[in-house]
Amino acid sequence: FAILPVFNITHPENGDVVIAEDPYNITWTKAGIGVNNVTLQYSTDQGGNWSYVVTTGDNTVPNTGTYFWNPVPGTVLSQYSKVRITYPGNVNATDTGYSYFDLRGAISVSAPSGGESWDLATNHSINWTRKGNIAGVDISYSWNNGTNWTTLAAGVTASNLTWLWNISTDTQTTTLGKVKVADSSNAEVVYGTSAGTFGIKGKLTLNTPSAPATVLTYGASPYNITWSTFGTIANVEVRYSTDGTTWPA
């Protein structure tokens, strides 16, 4: 007969969150002497298939009760992941973590990051970074610091890491703007938002005078200065300059 060591995986299990490409401490308790090394494996399909945590050498780690898993693989993301520990000397001495842990990706928004001031009717890039094999992202805009969100685009290829926002003239202007980029397959859980707030403001375009050959003569007939507005702009201030540097009130 055989006297077997006993192991108990303590983390990750039972709803623990593990972020792809980040480090994570796998922990376990142990009973029995003479067990110097163990193998650790993980599964992303409810225990159907297993991969070694350590993919080099004999795939073992010291039986210290903890292993610094760095980085956690992110090729396959799954809410139904498991870890198991096994004694190489007798595969009957094994333990699998209770229930499942959540191996998920992560997203960070790098632009806008806060403090920007963007005009209506202009184009600006929304940029992000990702951890793990996130396939698609949904991009949203909030004008009130994240209380309400309007979808700008859905199913954008996540590996692009950028999306050009054509800020339409009907976009809500604000000084409390934020952008959210979310994993299309897990949008309520995996997402990133702008670190700070940014501004969306109206825009003015001077129509006339605009041509270099325009000549205005003092005392001549009145001349119509015309402009176009984008967004809600109640009043404007009109000034002129004869040198392009000073603008008298």
Side-chain angles (χ1 to χ4, degrees):
F1 66 94
I3 298 176
L4 302 178
V6 176
F7 306 106
N8 178 37
I9 292 286
T10 52
H11 295 289
E13 64 175 7
N14 197 28
D16 287 340
V17 174
V18 178
I19 304 298
E21 301 179 27
D22 274 358
Y24 188 88
N25 278 318
I26 299 173
T27 60
W28 64 94
T29 60
K30 52 196 172 69
I33 61 174
V35 179
N36 296 321
N37 295 287
V38 294
T39 58
L40 296 171
Q41 295 170 288
Y42 72 99
S43 170
T44 56
D45 60 358
Q46 304 181 61
N49 295 280
W50 294 90
S51 300
Y52 286 110
V53 170
V54 175
T55 58
T56 58
D58 62 2
N59 309 119
T60 66
V61 304
N63 184 29
T64 59
T66 184
Y67 177 75
F68 188 61
W69 193 9
N70 184 33
V72 175
T75 304
V76 179
L77 305 175
S78 172
Q79 300 176 50
Y80 303 103
S81 301
K82 282 181 168 288
V83 160
R84 74 180 177 189
I85 185 172
T86 304
Y87 172 42
N90 191 323
V91 295
N92 293 312
T94 188
D95 181 67
T96 301
Y98 175 72
S99 189
Y100 305 107
F101 70 89
D102 186 359
L103 175 52
R104 66 175 65 157
I107 296 172
S108 296
V109 175
S110 50
S113 59
E116 299 88 348
S117 181
W118 292 349
D119 292 343
L120 297 177
T122 60
N123 297 324
H124 292 275
S125 292
I126 294 172
N127 301 329
W128 62 90
T129 60
R130 65 169 183 163
K131 293 180 179 179
N133 190 24
I134 296 171
V137 294
D138 300 336
I139 302 171
S140 305
Y141 162 66
S142 171
W143 64 92
N144 54 6
N145 201 22
T147 301
N148 301 98
W149 295 94
T150 299
T151 300
L152 299 176
V156 176
T157 301
S159 60
N160 289 347
L161 304 181
T162 189
W163 180 77
L164 188 64
W165 183 15
N166 181 358
I167 305 176
S168 63
T169 56
D170 60 353
T171 300
Q172 176 69 51
T173 55
T174 184
T175 58
L176 296 173
K178 282 202 168 186
V179 159
K180 176 168 65 175
V181 179
D183 182 347
S184 297
S185 66
N186 200 7
E188 297 301 317
V189 175
V190 179
Y191 60 86
T193 62
S194 305
T197 58
F198 66 97
I200 297 287
K201 65 181 187 296
K203 180 182 177 182
L204 289 167
T205 300
L206 181 66
N207 298 327
T208 57
S210 61
T214 301
V215 176
L216 302 182
T217 303
Y218 181 76
S221 300
Y223 185 88
N224 284 325
I225 299 172
T226 63
W227 60 88
S228 299
T229 62
F230 302 93
T232 303
I233 300 176
N235 299 287
V236 298
E237 184 178 86
V238 180
R239 297 187 181 190
Y240 78 98
S241 173
T242 58
D243 58 11
T245 301
T246 56
W247 300 87

